[in-house]
Structures are given as structure tokens and as C-alpha cells.
Amino acid sequence: METVLSGIRSTGNLHLGNYFGAVTNFVKMQKDYNCYFFVADLHSLTTYPKPGDLHANVRAVLAEYLAAGIDPEQSTLYVQSDVPEISELYLLLNMNAYMGELERTTTFKDKIRTQPENVNAGLLTYPVLMAADIIIHRAHKVPVGKDQEQNLEMTRKFAKRFNSMYGVEYFHMPEPFNFGKALLKVPGLDGQGKMGKTSGNGIYLVDEPEAIRKKVMRAVTDAGPTKENQEMTEPIANLFTLMDIVSTKDTVSHFREQYNTCQIRYGDMKKQLAEDIIMVTTPLREKINEILADDAYIRKAVALGREKARASASKTLKEVREIIGFRPF
Ligand code: TRP
């Protein structure tokens, strides 16, 4: 069985874009692949979270993935900082990562622009830590968005360099996992682009019904169609795309018909859309809150993940140490 691995940012709750775009695919993948999912809390240190927030964020992410259907028995769900082998492999890989190539990474250049007051070495070596995350389990496939493709390319570069440096064929090259047609692009509510691209355009799984209604009612629309079968502007097309995801076929065709005959009232459409989103998110929200209230369950899931992740990671690290030339006395 092939190994698939995905790192999850530990900041920010899951929104509908994450859920329908990635997480539902992760859930399905679990039976066909040997899956590793981890919360990237070491990576989050590059932006200096407050100690209290750090723990709460990791806990929230775990609860959301568990509620969404990640099965801690079938998959390996763990916290990155629970697996010290990752940090050691990161140190070792850093010796073969060059300043120039790290400085040229797009994500690093972006960070220099967005947080010029804090350009720390952790940001520079972010791709090295990510490579350690991936190759420590000898992962075959990594589902990554566009923004992370270059980082995965760097992983391949570091893995290949390690192999050629030591004349081994130890690491194989991890490939991007392509969801193909299954990858849903969920638009945001601000009339342009994907959900989550800009802050404030997203609906979160934990949002209460009243908050969802408010957000949907405030979604950007246009002045309305003036001729039959008029082409939709982006904000309206986006609302229909959201409806396609959460509403019944009948509901969608009703409003399409109304649009095409210029009778649509966006207020009515939004009301329906909000209720249908609430239908989808309510069981998830309840489950998340149930898990958040159940310390013992979270602790057990994390302990199981840690044990499985460390078993796999320590095997790799032991072999890497031998290849490098660290031998027991
Ligand atoms: N960099 C990824 C992101 O920002 C998170 C991540 C960390 C990751 N380590 C990873 C993703 C390893 C895939 C594999 O979303």
C-alpha cells in the first residue's frame, strides 16, 4: 500500500473550502492508502504564537479532523512536535541545503514581504523541515495545493541529494497527490476567488447558525440579470457553486431557472443557501464540540498517533544515521 502524508497548519479553523476541497478526500483516502496526517506545530513557531494559543490551536485542529472522519486507528494522526525524530532529521538535512536555493523559495520571499520585521532562520529552512516531515515516513504521495508545490519539489531535491551524496538509493521521490476531478474548488463569499484567500470570506465548520446566516446574507452580489440567460458575474456564479455543493439538485435548478428568467431575488437565494449550509455544518459542529469536551478521547487519539508515527520515524532515522556514518561504539 502506498503511503500518503499531509501536514496541516495549526492555525485557523477548518472552513468549507478546506472541508470540501481537501478533508473529505482525506477521509475517503484512508482505506486505500497508508495515511499520515499531522499537525505542523513546529512550523507554526516561525510566527511566534503565544504559548497558550499554540496548544489550543493544535487541540482545535485535532478535534476538527477527528470530527470530519479521520480515523486515528486506521490512519496515523499525530502532532509534529511529539515526534522528535523529525527534528533530528531536519538538522541532518539542513547540512545539505544551500542558502541560495532556500532564499529563492517563493514562500520565503513572500514571508520577507509580509513579515519583514521577523525574517528568522526557521522561515528560511521551512522547506527543509517540510522535507523531513515527508521523507521520515518515506511517503510516496503528498496532497499539496499550488502554493506548496515548490516546497515538495525541494523535498525531492533534498532526498535526491542525500542519495547521491552517500551513494545510496534510500529515499524515493515523493510525488504530488492529484485529486483530479474530486478536487472541489470552493469559492468565498466576497465575490472573488477561493474561500480562505482573503480573511472574512469564509464559513467555518464551527460557525453557529446565526453567524452563518449573517455571513451569507452579506455575500457580494450584483444588480441582477436584465436579459434572459444572461451570463453570470463572478459573485453570482460563486453563490451557485456553493449551492451546488450544499443544496439539493431541485433547489439549484429552481434558482437557476429564476436567474435565467430574470425573476431571481438574491435575498431568497441567500436565505436558502444559508439554511442548506447550516444543514451540512450542524452535525460537524456538534461533533467537534463533543470531541473538544472529551479530553480523554483526544489524549487517547494523540497517544496512538504518536506511537505509530514514532515507530515509523525512528526506523528511518536509525537507517539514516547509519548511512551518514554515525555508528554505535
Ligand atoms: N507547509 C504546509 C502548509 O502551509 C504544511 C505542511 C508542513 C506540510 N509540513 C508538510 C504539507 C508536509 C505537506 C507535507 O500548508
Side-chain angles (χ1 to χ4, degrees), residues 175-231:
E175 296 298 326
F177 188 101
N178 193 345
F179 290 121
K181 279 212 178 68
L183 188 69
L184 278 183
K185 291 206 182 81
V186 184
L189 295 171
D190 55 358
Q192 41 182 321
K194 275 192 347 186
M195 187 172 283
K197 260 243 142 67
T198 47
S199 59
N201 79 347
I203 291 177
Y204 294 86
L205 297 187
V206 290
D207 279 350
E208 295 290 335
E210 228 9 79
I212 294 177
R213 289 189 190 104
K214 273 212 186 98
K215 285 183 182 177
V216 175
M217 294 317 284
R218 275 202 306 257
V220 175
T221 54
D222 61 17
T226 51
K227 55 178 200 292
E228 293 208 345
N229 301 316
Q230 187 173 315
E231 201 180 321

Side-chain angles (χ1 to χ4, degrees), residues 150-199:
Q150 192 184 25
N151 283 337
L152 188 59
E153 223 174 278
M154 310 258 312
T155 299
R156 285 195 291 273
K157 195 187 263 184
F158 298 142
K160 198 164 156 201
R161 192 173 291 158
F162 179 93
N163 287 349
S164 64
M165 187 151 191
Y166 295 105
V168 291
E169 296 219 2
Y170 184 67
F171 290 118
H172 52 82
M173 306 301 125
E175 296 298 326
F177 188 101
N178 193 345
F179 290 121
K181 279 212 178 68
L183 188 69
L184 278 183
K185 291 206 182 81
V186 184
L189 295 171
D190 55 358
Q192 41 182 321
K194 275 192 347 186
M195 187 172 283
K197 260 243 142 67
T198 47
S199 59

Side-chain angles (χ1 to χ4, degrees), residues 5-9 38 40 43 80 126 129-131 133-134 142-144 147-148 151-152:
L5 172 141
S6 181
I8 308 158
R9 285 175 223 198
F38 70 93
H43 276 113
Q80 187 185 30
Y126 188 109
L129 181 53
M130 188 157 155
D133 289 331
I134 295 167
V142 183
V144 285
D147 61 326
Q148 298 294 319
N151 283 337
L152 188 59

